[in-house]
Amino acid sequence: MIKILQYGEGNFLRTFAEHYFDTLCEEGREYSVTIVKPIAHGSLEPFKRQGCRYHIVLRGMEEGKPVERVREIRVVHAAISPYEEYDAYMAAVLDPELRILVSNTTEAGIVFSAEDMFDGFEGITYPAKLTKLLYARYEAGLPGLYLLPVELIDNNADALKYCVDRYIDLWHLPEAFRAYNERENVYCNTLVDRIVSGHPKTPEECAHLDALIGEHDELASVGEPFGLWAIEKKGKIADLIPEGHHGIDVILTNDIAHYKKQKVRVLNGSHTNLVAAGMVEGAETVYDCMKDERLSAFVRETMDLEILPFVSEDRASVRKFADAVLARFENPYLNHMLSSIALNSMSKWRARVLPSVLDYTAANGRCPVHLATGFAYLLFLYSKVRAEGDRFMVSLKSGDTELRDDKETLAYFAAGGSPVAFMSREDVFGMDLTTIPGFADAVSEKLANLNV
């Protein structure tokens, strides 16, 4: 039996990691997941009532037809709140069969705080709790763990280990424990990819879900069929985490950066380049955009001409991923709201789109027209923002929508700041965008047309 301790009980892990481990059990292997509630608030009562069993529904398109697949997840054997069941928590921590620890404590979860006390628990950070967990196993003479954080930050396992090392220093823990942590615990960087919408919100959707499942399930969660888990190949991870398709696609790799770049540029970059154009033209979801002939062509041409050629030399692999991304964009069930994707668009544009702009320009001696157009739409959208108390609103064809971004940036546009002048803001973009050959002219021309 391979036992997994999972810090996090949310929809994503239950529709992603548990789908994988449950599939492995179906294939004849033996896995068991114990869920740990990472923060004090919230309740695990639905897990108790349902015996830790629940359903996931994967919705998507296959051969042009919509599909909805229901799967009962049985791999979870306990759900523990360490704040109320500390003894049960420590029993799980000190289980000799425990081999893997998975965590999803949000991007803000992997942090160090010099205020954390070794004797504390409820008020300390997740890395502080983890340090205490690993120290307990060290003192008990138990082997180390494979740590698979899925928090959405670069080099998530490296960041987690950095925090643990700092807590060892802060708490003056024995050097022998530091050596144990280096030798026994294997920190594997990961990248995850599956859109999970969770439990339906409307009564109609809830009733449809109950009918699909055949009963009411408080823990039911909806996601897309696509799933990718890229895991850094270290130690004997292959003995614990089989590669291939097991509910999701699992890849063990020495190059997580490749998969990160592929996801950021192709999936995230396409989203970010599309979002403002879609909102300005009256779309509300990514699916709306893909139903619109002009916006759909814009997405595909941007991807084919200006993004894919600069992701990797393995063109076949990138093309396969891009085709999967387009199929996901066309999934009518996802309800991926453009207003949600638009959160913090300027910093997202810098991380997700600017590298493609620079690569294209360097290779071709001219700026990419479609990426410049997407940025022009973004500046146009922000130029229409108005302040309403603490909120920044914009009027669209679909109705009034709140824009959420850095308040200084939104205030600049709400006060009538020049979109073209904003392009030179090195504090926002890390460089003066007007120095990119032809870029400012292309953006300005498109802005002039939008303002007609």
Side-chain angles (χ1 to χ4, degrees):
M1 175 73 73
I2 296 173
K3 294 188 176 180
I4 301 108
L5 196 67
Q6 178 177 293
Y7 254 82
E9 79 280 19
N11 289 318
F12 178 77
L13 283 178
R14 289 191 288 106
T15 316
F16 182 81
E18 266 80 287
H19 186 194
Y20 170 66
F21 293 122
D22 193 74
T23 302
L24 293 178
C25 290
E26 184 180 64
E27 294 170 355
R29 299 174 174 89
E30 290 187 294
Y31 287 81
S32 173
V33 175
T34 294
I35 289 175
V36 174
K37 190 157 69 77
I39 55 178
H41 73 262
S43 172
L44 294 177
E45 281 306 308
F47 291 90
K48 312 290 186 185
R49 284 194 289 270
Q50 298 183 188
C52 292
R53 293 188 178 183
Y54 64 92
H55 298 81
I56 62 173
V57 178
L58 303 180
R59 293 172 165 174
M61 301 291 291
E62 287 186 357
E63 298 179 356
K65 296 180 180 179
V67 295
E68 296 180 286
R69 291 200 185 89
V70 178
R71 180 184 183 90
E72 184 179 16
I73 301 297
R74 298 169 174 261
V75 74
V76 179
H77 288 106
I80 299 170
S81 171
Y83 312 97
E84 301 158 355
E85 308 165 280
Y86 192 76
D87 289 345
Y89 168 70
M90 287 308 300
V93 166
L94 298 177
D95 190 325
E97 291 186 293
L98 181 62
R99 302 296 306 280
I100 299 169
L101 194 152
V102 177
S103 68
N104 187 20
T105 57
T106 78
E107 296 92 313
I110 299 182
V111 293
F112 170 82
S113 173
E115 304 300 315
D116 289 341
M117 304 293 290
F118 182 76
D119 293 335
F121 190 81
E122 181 171 331
I124 64 177
T125 66
Y126 163 60
K129 293 183 177 78
L130 175 64
T131 306
K132 292 183 63 172
L133 181 160
L134 299 175
Y135 188 66
R137 289 185 64 86
Y138 157 75
E139 287 196 306
L142 292 169
L145 303 175
Y146 280 80
L147 296 111
L148 308 180
V150 304
E151 288 84 352
L152 298 177
I153 60 173
D154 287 341
N155 302 314
N156 44 21
D158 292 344
L160 187 58
K161 183 178 183 299
Y162 171 78
C163 291
V164 171
D165 286 338
R166 292 193 67 183
Y167 283 113
I168 293 173
D169 293 335
L170 178 69
W171 294 336
H172 305 292
L173 298 178
E175 285 301 311
F177 171 59
R178 188 191 303 276
Y180 167 91
N181 188 46
E182 294 287 342
R183 181 183 69 252
E184 293 284 336
N185 297 312
V186 183
Y187 295 78
C188 300
N189 294 308
T190 74
L191 179 140
V192 296
D193 192 2
R194 169 173 272 175
I195 296 172
V196 172
S197 55
H199 200 85
K201 305 298 187 293
T202 68
E204 294 77 16
E205 290 175 326
C206 289
H208 177 68
L209 196 66
D210 290 349
L212 274 177
I213 294 171
E215 61 182 279
H216 179 64
D217 182 349
E218 294 179 77
L219 296 170
S221 181
V222 177
E224 64 173 333
F226 180 90
L228 172 67
W229 198 356
I231 301 172
E232 192 173 18
K233 191 172 186 179
K234 285 185 174 180
K236 296 182 179 179
I237 187 71
D239 294 343
L240 304 174
I241 302 291
E243 285 192 276
H245 185 76
H246 308 277
I248 60 175
D249 292 320
V250 172
I251 298 170
L252 301 181
T253 177
N254 294 317
D255 188 12
I256 283 286
H258 163 76
Y259 295 95
K260 172 74 173 179
K261 182 179 181 181
Q262 181 173 262
K263 180 189 175 188
V264 167
R265 296 221 188 174
V266 180
L267 172 64
N268 303 133
S270 294
H271 265 159
T272 299
N273 193 63
L274 169 67
V275 64
M279 292 173 73
V280 169
E281 297 298 337
E284 295 185 61
T285 68
V286 173
Y287 180 64
D288 290 341
C289 294
M290 300 308 289
K291 289 191 300 180
D292 181 283
E293 185 176 339
R294 191 160 61 92
L295 288 172
S296 177
F298 177 65
V299 171
R300 295 172 188 278
E301 290 170 9
T302 305
M303 196 180 284
D304 290 346
L305 301 175
E306 300 176 0
I307 297 177
L308 299 189
F310 310 101
V311 175
S312 168
E313 292 182 1
D314 187 353
R315 298 294 178 86
S317 173
V318 175
R319 180 71 260 173
K320 181 180 178 182
F321 180 75
D323 290 340
V325 166
L326 291 170
R328 297 164 74 188
F329 286 3
E330 293 172 340
N331 186 342
Y333 292 118
L334 284 181
N335 273 338
H336 207 169
M337 301 298 294
L338 296 177
S339 57
S340 297
I341 302 170
L343 175 67
N344 297 326
S345 281
M346 288 300 175
S347 60
K348 285 178 178 176
W349 190 90
R350 173 180 174 175
R352 300 172 172 186
V353 182
L354 178 57
S356 294
V357 171
L358 296 175
D359 283 351
Y360 182 98
T361 304
N364 295 283
R366 62 183 188 278
C367 82
V369 173
H370 292 76
L371 294 177
T373 297
F375 188 64
Y377 269 108
L378 183 59
L379 290 179
F380 178 78
L381 179 67
Y382 275 51
S383 73
K384 302 303 178 184
V385 75
R386 65 184 183 276
E388 292 187 1
D390 293 334
R391 305 171 73 197
F392 293 89
M393 306 297 294
V394 62
S395 295
L396 302 170
K397 293 177 182 178
S398 58
D400 284 0
T401 299
E402 182 182 4
L403 291 187
R404 291 168 294 165
D405 206 321
D406 176 71
K407 286 191 175 181
E408 182 185 343
T409 294
L410 293 170
Y412 169 87
F413 285 104
S418 164
V420 175
F422 191 75
M423 294 177 65
S424 64
R425 291 280 296 272
E426 294 186 30
D427 60 319
V428 177
F429 301 110
M431 65 174 295
D432 180 348
L433 300 183
T434 65
T435 64
I436 301 173
F439 190 70
D441 289 341
V443 171
S444 297
E445 181 179 348
K446 182 62 181 179
L447 269 172
N449 291 335
L450 288 172
N451 278 298
V452 170

